[in-house]
Amino acid sequence: MDECYLTGLWFGLTMFKFLEEYYQFWSTRPTPVQTSTHVVLPANDDNESIVVETRDVSPAHFETRIKSFSLLSSIGIDKYETREFEAGDYKWRLVIYPGGKEKGDYISVYLSLVDTNSLPLDWEFNATCTVFLYDHILDKYLCIRVNEGHFNKTTTEWGFPKFIPKKVLIDQSSRYIADDSIVLGAEILVIKRHRVIETVTLLKTTEVPQKYEWKIQEFSKLEEDRVRISEEFTIRDVNWRMKLYLNGDSSELSMDVVCASADTFDAHQKVKAEFYLRLKGRLGVVRSSGKLSHWFTSLDKSCGQKAFISFSTMRDPENGLLVDDCCTLQVEILVQLVV
């Protein structure tokens, strides 16, 4: 026969065998499932979430070559966990079940997170996961990828319970095994979530007004001290202080309410409150700020009324605002919202 004819015949038979093997393998391609102990990445009935492709480049994160692969099952190794590797700041292992996780006709392959106890309490992330199988004939990698995998404290493992039929790897003429050795790999693209969690607490108005009275001793020394700050007090689980101080020219007194809890607020915490500042005399309340409203934050902890009352008015005995050089200030706070 003609040498070109023989060459063409050999090439045609080779391609026919390759296409037959390729069809048989992918007609039973792996399907993710959910188990009672972990969740395998979901796919619909048509496996539209699975991407199958070949490429020349080796796995970016992990590769393992298992020699004498057929001996794993014969010596009773039902599960093999590879060494740890890192991807996306997380630690992983490739877990291989040579006899299948459910003891069937398929080899099972999983990706498993390692040391999840060291992760934050509410950790979770999405990832694109790819498992690789080396084709010794084409010198390429068969890649099976799922683009949207969700991992959290109850979903720490993903994989294919039916990764590849056992008979494909038992057949030493298979392109995926050479000298009873197979090469598997993994590549994981972690999509980190920067989720912001906010808790908003709305508080109903109490039937009894939430008030605090502050008695200032030795008021006459305020001219020297310039400022007085009360002890901390608590209203609706928020800590507060009152502040009384002289303006620059010492002619007016200003009064503020200070959110002491804001000292420990992060940048996003805040408290919304309405409040009234009052001055009491012998006959009761003699001066009031009226209703004030403010969002208290770590950068804006105080609010009040400038020039609340003149210093001279306070010291005039005829006004009866001082008793034995003492005055009484009052604040009523209605905490409305805590974030």
Side-chain angles (χ1 to χ4, degrees), residues 97-254:
Y97 296 85
K101 188 175 176 64
E102 303 300 330
K103 308 299 181 186
D105 297 325
Y106 293 84
I107 292 167
S108 304
V109 179
Y110 290 82
L111 282 166
S112 180
L113 277 166
V114 179
D115 194 22
T116 56
N117 291 332
S118 64
L119 298 177
L121 186 62
D122 60 345
W123 71 271
E124 64 177 316
F125 60 86
N126 293 334
T128 297
C129 303
T130 307
V131 175
F132 293 72
L133 180 62
Y134 181 62
D135 186 324
H136 294 268
I137 295 177
L138 297 179
D139 190 25
K140 293 179 181 292
Y141 289 89
L142 182 67
C143 309
I144 309 169
R145 183 174 73 248
V146 174
N147 289 322
E148 292 186 7
H150 185 67
F151 292 84
N152 55 37
K153 63 182 179 181
T154 59
T155 309
T156 61
E157 191 173 89
W158 166 87
F160 294 107
K162 295 182 179 181
F163 180 70
I164 187 172
K166 293 179 185 177
K167 62 181 182 180
V168 173
L169 296 187
I170 292 175
D171 183 359
Q172 292 299 314
S173 66
S174 169
R175 64 185 64 251
Y176 303 111
I177 191 164
D179 298 325
D180 200 20
S181 299
I182 68 168
V183 178
L184 292 166
E187 196 170 280
I188 305 166
L189 175 61
V190 174
I191 305 167
K192 293 188 176 180
R193 302 181 66 181
H194 300 282
R195 182 179 63 179
V196 175
I197 300 176
E198 179 180 82
T199 301
V200 180
T201 304
L202 298 172
L203 303 176
K204 294 181 179 180
T205 303
T206 59
E207 295 182 2
V208 179
Q210 303 291 297
K211 299 178 181 180
Y212 174 78
E213 289 192 353
W214 176 29
K215 190 173 184 179
I216 300 178
Q217 308 284 346
E218 298 181 322
F219 178 82
S220 59
K221 291 186 177 180
L222 183 62
E223 195 166 11
E224 301 173 9
D225 302 338
R226 307 295 298 179
V227 62
R228 297 282 182 90
I229 299 175
S230 74
E231 295 180 350
E232 281 191 20
F233 57 95
T234 302
I235 292 179
R236 303 303 294 270
D237 296 324
V238 181
N239 296 330
W240 306 90
R241 292 190 185 95
M242 296 182 70
K243 179 180 178 182
L244 184 70
Y245 56 99
L246 282 169
N247 289 346
D249 60 1
S250 300
S251 63
E252 302 286 345
L253 283 168
S254 298

Side-chain angles (χ1 to χ4, degrees), residues 60-115:
H61 296 127
F62 181 73
E63 183 175 286
T64 180
R65 179 183 295 272
I66 304 177
K67 299 181 179 180
S68 301
F69 178 77
S70 61
L71 293 180
L72 282 175
S73 295
S74 62
I75 63 178
I77 298 178
D78 297 328
K79 175 183 178 181
Y80 173 67
E81 295 183 352
T82 69
R83 61 177 290 179
E84 293 180 9
F85 62 94
E86 289 193 9
D89 297 327
Y90 295 94
K91 295 180 179 179
W92 306 81
R93 277 194 178 100
L94 203 60
V95 183
I96 303 159
Y97 296 85
K101 188 175 176 64
E102 303 300 330
K103 308 299 181 186
D105 297 325
Y106 293 84
I107 292 167
S108 304
V109 179
Y110 290 82
L111 282 166
S112 180
L113 277 166
V114 179
D115 194 22

